[in-house]
Amino acid sequence: LFFSLLSFDEEHAEIIWMDVCIGFRFASYINNDMVLQKEPAGAVIWGFGTPGAAVTVTLHQGQETIMKKVTSVKAHFDTWMVVLDPMKAGGPFEVMAQQTLEKMNFTLRVHDVLFGDVWLCSGQSNMQMTVLQVFNATRELSNTAAYQSVRILSVSPIQAEQELEDLVAVDLQWSKPTSENLGHGYFKYMSAVCWLFGRHLYDTLQYPIGLIASSWGGTPIEAWSSGRSLEACGVPKQGSVPYNSVTGPSKHSVLWNAMIHPLRNMTLKGVVWYQGESNINYNTDLYNCTFPALIEDWRETFHRGSQGQTERFFPFGFVQLSSDLSKKSSDDGFPQIRWHQTADFGYVPNPKMPNTFMAVAMDLCDRDSPFGSIHPRDKQTVAYRLHLGARALAYGEKNLTFEGPLPEKIELLAHEGLLNLTYYQQIQVQKRDNKIFEISCCSDHRCKWLPASMNTFSTQSLTLAIDSCQGTVVALRYAWTTWPCEYKQCPLYHPSSALPAPPFIAFITDQGSGHQSNVAK
């Protein structure tokens, strides 16, 4: 409430002044120690104020004024916003905002502000796991001194029925990394995948990195999606969710509303995402639409919210699902989601998912995880594989291998009882496995999956024996199980990068001898 100044008297002076001040604030995530997005984008500074008031935002470094921006508070929204001129990486700076109304001024300041790259990390519990929960936690928690320019923020788990303008709460306000805030508790700030990813980026880039974690365990993609993107995919209206895999909020859009939408004005470099376990039995068949639709919708929303400063097709990385020993899911749930995470192409980027990158994690299983095998503790390898994709896609590093080998052609040599796979990258056959490749064998209008044993191989080709099929071979798939191999023991890797070959399914439509079939058609 703001009292009219027309009937001003001394008795009401203090009340009026307080109302002006209380209404004037930065957005909840603008705080000391923050990282703002560096050039070529301009960082967005915004907040709330008294309608009609003028707001001046000034950037200082020491005694020097770097820039000054003037705006006013929008009458209907009580918000103000400025876009800073693009800044080189570095700091520290001070951001000052001053509201002026009549003859009253009120000033806000945030200190130790750095410019660098800002990444948003989101998803469910595998993103939520803290450094306290990963392998070698004690060593990782002590390794913060060299990374004081990697700043971290963790959004509180909150639901909302409507899209919120600002965050309701923050678990960890912008902070320098310490053993305490990186290992605060189990699944209670700060995300290990997010932190380790940012650490790898800092090692490569050597300038400030800002990391925002906004995740909630046991949540399906529907909770993180706007109503627009769910409608575009024909997702059924909200019903009951009787699945063990969904233990967190599942109502449509409630986490988008409260934990993502309020961040939309922020200028971002990119997003990393780790989610999907809660969809292994829930709208599984729609995930090949809901996931690409979420990416597209987030990109459009952040681009628009940041006044065009966040790139329209900003880099979006994700972790392909790992493994699980639990009997809660159907045998097909995990491989289906893994496949659907790539929009059924088997690889990214692809035509439906431009400027995206993926970390394969199906070989990072953890039988003895105290948090259940669905929560493997090797988040270091996950983050390393993610950062390779970021270096290639987000930072344009050339000649960098960031994905494991996939076949570029499959030849059916029916008269020899063989399938010949030619890979577009070199392959390293780490071990022979007679079950991880399977063929769909059809006869009398019935099909069944049979193992196809590995026969011969070279640096870029592999031959499979298919003589177990007495009918017609119509498809081939690789690693199509919840638990394809033991820890880092899948059969196929790229030789120098140690990246595993991702799972795939390919259909063989022409039964002529020597026919070539491309993957994922």
Side-chain angles (χ1 to χ4, degrees):
L1 180 66
F2 180 71
F3 294 99
S4 169
L5 286 173
L6 295 176
S7 57
F8 177 81
D9 60 53
E10 287 187 23
E11 184 181 339
H12 293 126
E14 188 173 346
I15 297 173
I16 297 169
W17 184 83
M18 284 180 63
D19 284 332
V20 173
C21 298
I22 291 168
F24 181 52
R25 64 177 178 87
F26 285 120
S28 59
Y29 58 78
I30 295 176
N31 218 296
N32 298 336
D33 299 319
M34 78 180 304
V35 176
L36 293 172
Q37 182 58 41
K38 72 170 188 67
E39 63 180 6
V44 173
I45 302 291
W46 73 282
F48 297 85
T50 306
V55 176
T56 303
V57 176
T58 315
L59 185 69
H60 299 281
Q61 188 165 39
Q63 301 303 309
E64 183 184 359
T65 298
I66 306 297
M67 75 178 79
K68 185 175 287 190
K69 300 285 179 179
V70 180
T71 187
S72 59
V73 181
K74 291 182 184 176
H76 296 298
F77 302 100
D78 297 352
T79 59
W80 54 268
M81 178 184 293
V82 299
V83 178
L84 301 182
D85 300 335
M87 293 286 295
K88 293 187 184 305
F93 297 88
E94 179 184 80
V95 177
M96 184 176 81
Q98 186 174 59
Q99 176 176 275
T100 305
L101 187 70
E102 299 292 330
K103 294 182 178 179
M104 289 187 293
N105 293 331
F106 192 69
T107 303
L108 306 169
R109 288 183 173 87
V110 292
H111 307 281
D112 195 15
V113 174
L114 305 179
F115 284 85
D117 282 340
V118 182
W119 286 83
L120 170 61
C121 306
S122 187
Q124 54 182 115
S125 54
N126 270 304
M127 181 61 85
Q128 205 176 8
M129 284 176 74
T130 67
V131 181
L132 185 68
Q133 297 174 263
V134 304
F135 284 132
N136 303 312
T138 303
R139 188 184 71 199
E140 299 291 9
L141 288 171
S142 66
N143 185 18
T144 59
Y147 297 100
Q148 294 301 292
S149 292
V150 181
R151 306 291 173 81
I152 56 178
L153 177 148
S154 191
V155 175
S156 298
I158 300 283
Q159 305 178 60
E161 293 294 325
Q162 304 294 329
E163 291 180 341
L164 302 183
E165 290 298 301
D166 197 14
L167 296 172
V168 172
V170 172
D171 271 358
L172 176 69
Q173 193 50 268
W174 280 109
S175 304
K176 297 175 182 178
T178 65
S179 58
E180 289 75 28
N181 57 34
L182 289 173
H184 178 71
Y186 292 162
F187 305 104
K188 289 185 182 293
Y189 73 82
M190 168 66 184
S191 163
V193 169
C194 194
W195 162 249
L196 296 166
F197 170 76
R199 207 174 69 181
H200 279 302
L201 288 185
Y202 182 80
D203 287 340
T204 301
L205 301 168
Q206 291 294 301
Y207 59 68
I209 302 291
L211 302 170
I212 300 136
S214 184
S215 51
W216 194 327
T219 50
I221 196 169
E222 291 77 7
W224 297 101
S225 304
S226 73
R228 294 178 302 278
S229 60
L230 294 175
E231 191 175 341
C233 291
V235 177
K237 294 295 182 185
Q238 184 71 29
S240 60
V241 186
Y243 298 111
N244 293 328
S245 58
V246 181
T247 56
S250 62
K251 197 169 183 182
H252 291 181
S253 307
V254 290
L255 304 185
W256 158 261
N257 291 339
M259 298 176 69
I260 302 298
H261 186 266
L263 301 170
R264 73 200 180 286
N265 297 341
M266 182 184 292
T267 311
L268 293 179
K269 176 65 175 180
V271 168
V272 287
W273 170 261
Y274 195 160
Q275 189 276 337
E277 297 92 342
S278 286
N279 286 95
I280 53 174
N281 289 314
Y282 181 57
N283 289 337
T284 310
D285 293 341
L286 293 173
Y287 204 90
N288 57 359
C289 181
T290 51
F291 185 39
L294 175 142
I295 296 173
E296 166 61 21
D297 188 60
W298 284 28
R299 283 172 167 165
E300 185 181 347
T301 301
F302 276 89
H303 178 71
R304 195 171 60 244
S306 65
Q307 311 300 302
Q309 297 305 306
T310 298
E311 286 182 19
R312 175 63 181 82
F313 294 98
F314 62 73
F316 195 109
F318 65 92
V319 183
Q320 196 179 45
L321 291 193
S322 185
S323 305
D324 183 26
L325 286 172
S326 164
K327 298 301 181 187
K328 293 177 183 176
S329 64
S330 67
D331 288 342
D332 216 28
F334 266 73
Q336 285 286 358
I337 291 293
R338 290 188 193 116
W339 186 242
H340 290 339
Q341 284 178 300
T342 68
D344 300 352
F345 282 84
Y347 58 87
V348 292
N350 62 54
K352 286 188 178 178
M353 302 172 73
N355 211 27
T356 59
F357 55 95
M358 170 175 75
V360 175
M362 66 179 184
D363 67 330
L364 302 180
C365 50
D366 188 354
R367 289 180 178 275
D368 303 317
S369 172
F371 315 104
S373 62
I374 202 168
H375 297 122
R377 289 167 289 175
D378 182 1
K379 295 298 190 271
Q380 292 89 338
T381 303
V382 169
Y384 174 76
R385 291 173 180 175
L386 265 180
H387 109 283
L388 290 178
R391 283 167 58 184
L393 270 292
Y395 298 99
E397 196 169 324
K398 304 298 182 188
N399 304 316
L400 177 71
T401 301
F402 66 99
E403 52 193 354
L406 267 173
E408 61 180 350
K409 65 179 180 180
I410 300 170
E411 295 175 278
L412 176 63
L413 308 173
H415 61 288
E416 300 176 38
L418 298 172
L419 264 183
N420 191 55
L421 283 60
T422 304
Y423 285 80
Y424 74 95
Q425 290 180 329
Q426 288 194 345
I427 59 171
Q428 176 178 321
V429 177
Q430 184 165 279
K431 55 181 277 190
R432 288 178 182 269
D433 186 314
N434 294 328
K435 293 181 179 180
I436 201 162
F437 282 101
E438 296 172 293
I439 50 173
S440 180
C441 179
C442 298
S443 60
D444 298 328
H445 305 292
R446 296 184 66 182
C447 302
K448 59 181 177 180
W449 289 100
L450 300 174
S453 59
M454 296 166 63
N455 194 321
T456 59
F457 57 88
S458 65
T459 54
Q460 276 186 261
S461 66
L462 177 68
T463 304
L464 303 175
I466 57 169
D467 47 10
S468 60
C469 178
Q470 302 304 309
T472 305
V473 177
V474 298
L476 171 70
R477 66 188 189 186
Y478 172 75
W480 208 263
T481 61
T482 302
W483 191 281
C485 56
E486 292 306 311
Y487 180 75
K488 292 189 176 180
Q489 290 298 312
C490 278
L492 298 178
Y493 287 81
H494 181 268
S496 60
S497 68
L499 293 175
F504 72 84
I505 186 167
F507 299 96
I508 301 166
T509 52
D510 182 350
Q511 299 304 313
S513 179
H515 166 68
Q516 297 182 4
S517 175
N518 291 323
V519 172
K521 283 292 179 67

